[in-house]
Amino acid sequence: MKVKSEVRHAAIAVKLLVLDVDGVLTDGSIIIGNTGELYKRFNVKDGLGIKLLQEVGIQVAICTGRISQIVNVRAEELGIDLVLQGEKDKKEGLAKICIDLGLKAKEVAYMGDDLSDLALFSEVGIAAVPKDASSEVKEKANWVSKHKGGQGAVREFAEFILKEKGLFREAVRKRFSNTEI
């Protein structure tokens, strides 16, 4: 994928990655059991991408329109403290996150996949989408993954940010006890 120079430059300024859940951290499926329990599938590769960002001080937050205890469990596993659920107006959610962290919206990268995410695209430094995002959303994105949601799109985006910032090797070394790549 050819990435425009302004997107590469914007990646250098990123201090926070905000993620949608359904269709980004998951494949968008919701499995409902016989007694009404909900299940979502998360990809460990995406989880590692998040951990690599955190290793070098890039924070990660979740901002989703749905409410699910499963999201809280996954966020806790990954050490994500900023979790906003039930955010019908994601622009408001982003503003809350930026205020809490003292960041400008242009220091934020966001990955979403559907119409509810569009309001954030003009606010953030980089608007990213998985390969299978809705066509209207994909057209407005600055960065498109080669992977579908829940299948490594977050990991690919995390690595892009780290490499543009010159922090990828350091993140790997920190995460895996001085492993060199």
Side-chain angles (χ1 to χ4, degrees):
M1 164 183 55
K2 185 165 169 90
V3 180
K4 293 179 181 177
S5 62
E6 60 265 18
V7 176
R8 291 183 182 283
H9 182 71
I12 295 168
V14 170
K15 295 180 180 176
L16 169 69
L17 172 60
V18 179
L19 300 167
D20 181 28
V21 176
D22 296 319
V24 173
L25 282 169
T26 75
D27 65 4
S29 299
I30 298 171
I31 302 163
I32 303 173
N34 288 335
T35 59
E37 66 276 17
L38 298 179
Y39 299 95
K40 297 179 188 231
R41 181 188 344 217
F42 296 91
N43 189 304
V44 295
K45 291 178 184 177
D46 290 332
L48 179 57
I50 289 167
K51 297 308 285 181
L52 290 172
L53 290 168
Q54 293 167 331
E55 287 291 348
V56 293
I58 299 170
Q59 297 184 66
V60 179
I62 290 173
C63 184
T64 180
R66 294 180 55 86
I67 298 173
S68 170
Q69 182 57 32
I70 299 163
V71 172
N72 289 332
V73 171
R74 184 63 175 149
E76 187 176 324
E77 280 181 341
L78 294 172
I80 299 173
D81 297 325
L82 275 168
V83 179
L84 299 179
Q85 296 195 63
E87 288 293 324
K88 298 302 177 205
D89 183 346
K90 290 188 178 184
K91 202 169 180 179
E92 260 184 41
L94 175 67
K96 287 180 210 171
I97 291 169
C98 287
I99 289 167
D100 287 350
L101 296 177
L103 295 176
K104 297 175 185 149
K106 294 299 178 189
E107 297 173 308
V108 177
Y110 180 76
M111 184 175 258
D113 72 306
D114 218 334
L115 299 173
S116 62
D117 301 304
L118 278 176
L120 295 181
F121 281 24
S122 62
E123 301 293 312
V124 297
I126 304 174
V129 296
K131 176 183 177 178
D132 59 340
S134 81
S135 59
E136 295 84 3
V137 177
K138 202 185 291 189
E139 286 175 17
K140 303 281 185 184
N142 307 113
W143 189 93
V144 179
S145 176
K146 295 178 222 159
H147 301 282
K148 294 180 178 181
Q151 296 180 13
V154 171
R155 167 76 170 271
E156 182 188 3
F157 189 44
E159 287 187 11
F160 167 74
I161 292 167
L162 290 167
K163 288 174 181 175
E164 291 304 315
K165 292 174 81 66
L167 296 172
F168 181 66
R169 289 179 185 274
E170 179 184 342
V172 171
R173 200 169 41 251
K174 285 182 172 183
R175 184 74 188 156
F176 297 108
S177 304
N178 298 315
T179 297
E180 292 294 329
I181 54 169

